Amino acid sequence: MTITEHIAAVRREMAEAARESGRSERDIFLVGASKMNDAAACQEAIAAGVDALGENRVQEMTAKLAEDAYRGAPLHFIGHLQRNKVKQVVGKAALIQSAGSVELLDEIEKQAEKLGIVQDILLEVNIGGEAAKSGFAPQEVENAAAQAKEMDHVRVRGLMTIPPADATREENVVYFQKVQALYVDINRKMYDNELEYLSMGMSGDFADAIRAGANMVRVGTAIFGARDYSK
């Protein structure tokens, strides 16, 4: 199957999951996770109707920007972002989905101020409490959101999460439901219900995430095929 055919299949599954959660496919934002895929593949995905492309690696994102790989769609940064690479991402990515520490928020604020822009972000929630993974613990997210609200050059647009890789499908659903509840609570209490994005779900679980309330999904292998890590 081609990338175009894969996206059509993903869209069908998204539409079904959206209907089951009382929504329309139009309510769900599809991010094509284009890690390890070239500019031509990115352009095919954009032509086939992804809503944005998402990159995990700063070096790869920078190289593909030089090739005009993302022409025609917003670019999201969806991977772990080191503080020393913030200046390469702020102002380039329409949305940084992985703002997972106060120190990183501070760095994004400083760089955005230098550029005279407001950088849109999602607060990353470490819902599984994994020591090796970045993100705010669930009990820290409200305080992080409060700190971000005081920044002039950072704008929180919602939450993002990645459940533990070894979680079962049933456990994943519970994690998604917990983050959805957190999103609803913070949105109501702190943002007058103006937050827009709950980014949950990847190739193997995006339908479950949508049923649990996600309105943004990050899909890589189901669109682009399996990645070749031997290269």
Side-chain angles (χ1 to χ4, degrees):
M1 289 173 66
T2 65
I3 288 172
T4 300
E5 290 168 335
H6 282 151
I7 290 173
V10 167
R11 286 285 191 191
R12 287 192 294 271
E13 195 169 349
M14 287 173 59
E16 182 178 350
R19 283 195 298 271
E20 291 175 11
S21 64
R23 293 174 292 165
S24 160
E25 181 202 343
R26 293 188 298 276
D27 299 322
I28 317 298
F29 197 99
L30 175 60
V31 180
S34 46
K35 181 174 75 172
M36 298 176 66
N37 287 277
D38 63 14
C42 291
Q43 281 295 295
E44 184 177 347
I46 291 169
V50 293
D51 297 305
L53 287 175
E55 289 294 348
N56 292 70
R57 298 169 175 171
V58 174
Q59 186 174 358
E60 181 179 348
M61 184 198 85
T62 300
K64 283 153 74 170
L65 275 168
E67 298 171 339
D68 208 16
Y70 313 114
R71 182 181 68 257
L75 169 62
H76 292 186
F77 190 80
I78 60 177
H80 175 63
L81 180 56
Q82 296 171 300
R83 287 163 60 194
N84 64 352
K85 294 186 177 179
V86 163
K87 63 184 178 183
Q88 296 170 258
V89 177
V90 170
K92 303 289 197 308
L95 182 66
I96 298 174
Q97 295 204 23
S98 48
S101 72
V102 172
E103 293 79 12
L104 183 57
L105 283 174
D106 286 338
E107 203 65 41
I108 294 170
E109 166 70 13
K110 287 177 190 174
Q111 184 61 25
E113 182 178 13
K114 286 180 186 176
L115 298 175
I117 64 169
V118 177
Q119 176 66 59
D120 285 346
I121 65 162
L122 303 183
L123 297 174
E124 181 177 358
V125 184
N126 186 349
I127 191 59
E130 298 169 275
K133 187 179 285 183
S134 60
F136 294 101
Q139 65 271 19
E140 298 172 341
V141 177
E142 187 170 334
N143 184 55
Q147 292 186 59
K149 281 195 79 171
E150 296 301 312
M151 297 177 178
D152 293 327
H153 302 277
V154 165
R155 178 169 57 174
V156 177
R157 303 292 299 277
L159 303 182
M160 183 271 264
T161 199
I162 305 171
D166 60 356
T168 65
R169 180 177 179 181
E170 291 74 18
E171 289 169 338
N172 260 8
V173 170
V174 173
Y175 286 133
F176 291 147
Q177 291 170 340
K178 287 180 177 178
V179 179
Q180 194 270 343
L182 192 62
Y183 172 81
V184 169
D185 185 53
I186 289 174
N187 202 5
R188 177 181 54 82
K189 291 197 307 192
M190 299 181 65
Y191 289 95
D192 297 322
N193 292 315
E194 291 183 354
L195 292 181
E196 292 183 67
Y197 300 126
L198 179 56
S199 178
M200 307 191 298
M202 299 186 290
S203 287
D205 55 18
F206 66 84
D208 286 337
I210 292 169
R211 284 189 282 266
N215 61 14
M216 179 179 283
V217 294
R218 310 174 306 275
V219 181
T221 56
I223 288 175
F224 295 101
R227 298 183 177 104
D228 183 1
Y229 288 95
S230 68
K231 293 181 179 178

